[in-house]
Amino acid sequence: MKLRSIIGGLALMLTSSMAAHAADPVKFALCYDLTKAYTFVTPQVAQAAKDYAELLNAKGGLEGHPIEVIVQDHGNEPQRGIECYERLKREGVMVFDMLSTPVSRAVLPRVMKDGNILMQSLAGRGDAVDGDVFKWVFPIGPTYWGQAANDIGYIKQQSKGSLKGVKIAFVYVDYPFGQEPIGILKTLAQKEGFDLQLFPYPLPGNDQASAWTQVRRFNPDWIISWSLSNMHVIASREMKRNGISIDKYIAVNWLNEVDIKNIGADAAKGIKRGTNVAGGSTQPLVQEIIKELYDKGKGNGDRKNLEDVYYNTGLAIWSIGFEGARLAIKKDGWPLTPQKLKDGLESIKGFDANGLMAPVTVTASDHGGGGKTRIEMWDGTKWVPQTDWIASFPEEVWSVVKEQSAAYAKSDANK
Amino acid sequence: MLFRQAGILHTNYTQDRALFPIPADRWMIGGLLLLAAAAPFYMNSLYLSSYMLPWLVWTAAALGLNLILGWAGQFHLGYAAVMGIGAYAAVHAQRNGVPWEIAIVLAGLTAAVIGSVFAFAALRVKGLYLALSTLALQFVMDWTISHVPAISGGTQATLQAPDIRVLGWAITSDAGLYYVALVWCVLVTTFMLNLRRTALGRALVAVREKDYAAAVIGVNSFYFKLVAFATSSFIAGVSGAVLIGTFYHAVTPEQFSVDVSIQALAMVIVGGLGSIIGSYFGAGFILLMPGVMNAFISWLTAQFGFSLGIETLAHLPHALYGALIIGFLLIEPLGLGKIYGNIRDYLLVWPFGYVKK
């Protein structure tokens, strides 16, 4: 009996491996920083990509072609990211994601020259949403400018449609990530007449004391914060110390359940974040993954990560990537080329991965997919949406994008 | 046997001061140069563009750091910042229409000027205090680059580098870029080899051993420290510019951050202070070993069918890599260059080992 089941198992393995060989796989490269600065998000994103790929493969893959997810560590070092890109591009990979701003920037000139797809949601140059200039780059999701504008949009809703005299503090970590929204915030402050003040604090963000005493003196109505993971925890401590209510605090999308736990679930009550994905494992797609994989003991990582919003962020990024590839095969057939993949991604319309994220519509000129986000509030146990998926002040956001991408296009033409 | 010394007789001073008095060394260098020059013909483009090229450029940079650290004995924790100055200077010059050949010289000069202006202040202190003040140079540069849009290229903080042209030829192929890097590396190596037998080199060594003693025998230690800073900054600046021109094609502040300074320092220390061949080994080890380890571990798991988590798979090579560094430094504290030296010393008299004793 036992022998028979072993033989049966072997036969099954053989046939399944043969089936996998029957159709060529579609390869996706996740060159991620799994060891240095981005470790607060990359494991969850990679896990989500692998889980979702497995789920799709069980259903027959992308129009019959299985998905192969290749994960490699680059330690946030540009030269190792370039090595990852150069190696995998020779192995037939056409879709890359670096999930690191320095590495995305370093790979970008090569991607543009070779004509491969660079997915760079939430990292790298924001102006790459301009598909007319950055033909091969797909930063699907909101730019930081878009997110900041949406935060202002939310505050405008809360102040009954007028921002005149509203005091907004922008607290940010003083390096390019934190500095990015300053331009758009200033433009909007001029247009809407709110009172904006900037409060930078230095890297690595462990000491924010001086910034927050200044915030206390300013006594803002709202605080928009561009910080990463643990910096929010430090900020919450400083707010407590300075007697600033935490429900004025609107975080950028980099605030997850681990940070909430570190702040304290009760102490964090009222904190807000802008996000382009719905968090939590109650989402239909996550439920499906739990049923098909984790309940059968086949998940690609720790089950507790499924509660993490970054897992859903990963699902959002890669469901779009896989959907684009599927559309490409469906429209133009096998074998895939980067051009076909680009066309496939650009034909994504109103895709929301079963309610997981803001509906995404990618066009040849908008590679960001609309840039919608919503504001959520932590109520002590879960995140409660405060708005619909919104994209506020699109004209102002796009004028910043166009200005930056034009500068890139000019320097590219000067080559 | 291999390094036969029999029959090598010097009849004049020029012969006596030759770089490589032993024929075996000359043959080896010649062979390596040939191999390096022919690399594009037998090496696949991945190895050429992603391993060989950055290795050569980083070796040149490490040699520059070795000049200040290994020869002059002055700590420098802000070396990447100096490379960054060169990189930004070259890219800005190029974007303003300066030909690349002149742009890299400008890069070197800018780095040398800023590096030695800074050294004026920093050299008033010694040892660990100097190390800290060079670290300050790093942070001042980081801050300046990220807060002056005119330097960094706006909020995106990335400047696209124009393609490099040498004598009117646009260089875009892997092989062409590789040769540019090779030429620069060979130039710096030749300079460093010759430095050892010049008055400047000897003065630097005197300053390194004890600056009071050097002053007593008439070596102006402040002056020579300054010269060392300027020269090493020049090499750093050009290397930074070459790195951008041949490898990165765009310049961003993270490429020259404090982590990179530490890496450069590790290259010199692991390779061996004051050792030229050590700089080659050190740069290769620090730069390429993480990738090699990564590939090795992935291959191993694939071979034996382990299924490791994504994170374990990423951290394991780092642990091994760290263990390797410690291992090598335990075996030979003077670095990889000294290990090579030991092997060579052994072969010098092999098979008559008792000659040494």
Side-chain angles (χ1 to χ4, degrees), chain B:
Chain B
M1 181 74 174
L2 283 169
F3 296 87
R4 242 187 14 206
Q5 286 170 294
I8 302 172
L9 303 167
H10 301 136
T11 50
N12 57 34
Y13 286 117
T14 322
Q15 276 178 2
D16 191 41
R17 294 182 59 199
L19 275 179
F20 306 106
I22 299 175
D25 282 332
R26 287 201 291 270
W27 283 108
M28 255 166 54
I29 297 263
L32 281 176
L33 266 178
L34 267 180
L35 273 180
F41 300 103
Y42 62 84
M43 203 174 264
N44 76 35
S45 63
L46 171 67
Y47 286 93
L48 195 70
S49 64
S50 309
Y51 298 105
M52 284 298 279
L53 189 152
W55 179 42
L56 287 174
V57 182
W58 272 107
T59 302
L63 282 169
L65 181 58
N66 219 335
L67 172 68
I68 190 89
L69 195 64
W71 265 270
Q74 306 302 311
F75 249 101
H76 203 329
L77 287 174
Y79 193 69
V82 186
M83 290 176 71
I85 296 171
Y88 274 97
V91 171
H92 278 293
Q94 257 181 299
R95 286 163 68 108
N96 288 312
V98 178
W100 189 72
E101 306 88 325
I102 299 172
I104 56 169
V105 176
L106 278 180
L109 291 177
T110 319
V113 168
I114 297 181
S116 36
V117 164
F118 186 82
F120 258 111
L123 282 176
R124 299 176 67 90
V125 291
K126 280 182 204 155
L128 288 176
Y129 301 96
L130 175 65
L132 267 184
S133 52
T134 50
L135 194 60
L137 166 71
Q138 176 77 50
F139 288 117
V140 169
M141 284 320 299
D142 281 0
W143 192 90
T144 314
I145 291 171
S146 70
H147 285 79
V148 182
I151 298 176
S152 69
T155 44
Q156 296 301 330
T158 143
L159 269 183
Q160 304 297 315
D163 285 340
I164 61 176
R165 303 177 76 88
V166 177
L167 303 176
W169 291 63
I171 297 185
T172 48
S173 71
D174 287 342
L177 294 171
Y178 166 78
Y179 282 124
V180 171
L182 180 66
V183 166
W184 173 239
C185 187
V186 168
L187 269 178
V188 176
T189 310
T190 317
F191 170 75
M192 294 298 287
L193 282 169
N194 283 294
L195 182 70
R196 286 206 282 217
R197 45 180 199 175
T198 57
L200 171 64
R202 285 190 295 273
L204 291 181
V205 172
V207 169
R208 172 186 75 195
E209 295 303 329
K210 190 82 207 164
D211 48 2
Y212 292 135
V216 168
I217 56 170
V219 175
N220 183 346
S221 66
F222 186 80
Y223 168 76
F224 280 106
K225 282 181 192 172
L226 209 56
V227 170
F229 260 97
T231 319
S232 130
S233 301
F234 183 86
I235 296 176
V238 180
S239 300
V242 172
L243 189 65
I244 295 301
T246 60
F247 186 63
Y248 282 136
H249 307 298
V251 53
T252 73
E254 304 94 352
Q255 288 159 355
F256 301 103
S257 66
V258 63
D259 299 0
V260 183
S261 277
I262 305 288
Q263 266 189 345
L265 200 67
M267 284 175 192
V268 171
I269 292 174
V270 171
L273 291 171
S275 161
I276 289 169
I277 193 155
S279 298
Y280 278 82
F281 291 147
F285 190 93
I286 298 292
L287 196 67
L288 306 180
M289 201 45 101
V292 173
M293 274 288 154
N294 234 335
F296 175 66
I297 302 266
S298 313
W299 175 82
L300 216 62
T301 50
Q303 212 67 14
F304 292 99
F306 297 128
S307 100
L308 291 175
I310 306 164
E311 281 177 275
T312 325
L313 210 57
H315 283 282
L316 213 55
H318 281 266
L320 258 179
Y321 168 65
L324 263 183
I325 293 183
I326 297 174
F328 274 122
L329 289 183
L330 274 179
I331 295 169
E332 185 50 73
L334 293 177
L336 297 171
K338 182 68 177 145
I339 293 182
Y340 169 78
N342 290 345
I343 295 171
R344 185 173 171 278
D345 283 349
Y346 174 78
L347 288 176
L348 266 180
V349 291
W350 183 84
F352 308 113
Y354 53 83
V355 176
K356 242 177 13 180
K357 291 156 200 159

Side-chain angles (χ1 to χ4, degrees), chain A residues 155 189 193 245 265:
Chain A
I155 295 173
S245 164

Side-chain angles (χ1 to χ4, degrees), chain A residues 34-35 43 71 73 77-80 82-83 86-87 90 105 110 125-126 145 174 179 404 408 411 415, chain B residues 45-46 50-51 95 146-147 155-156 158 160-161 247-248 254 263 287 290 294 310-311 314-315 318:
Chain A
L34 293 158
T35 47
V71 184
D73 173 43
E77 289 173 29
Q79 88 270 358
R80 288 183 58 197
I82 289 177
E83 186 230 309
E86 290 283 338
R87 175 203 297 276
R90 288 171 171 81
R105 284 172 179 170
R110 289 169 190 252
R125 305 178 67 103
W145 304 309
D174 199 10
Q179 295 158 353
Q404 304 264 339
Y408 173 88
S411 73
K415 269 189 168 181
Chain B
S45 63
L46 171 67
S50 309
Y51 298 105
R95 286 163 68 108
S146 70
H147 285 79
T155 44
Q156 296 301 330
T158 143
Q160 304 297 315
F247 186 63
Y248 282 136
E254 304 94 352
Q263 266 189 345
L287 196 67
N294 234 335
I310 306 164
E311 281 177 275
H315 283 282
H318 281 266

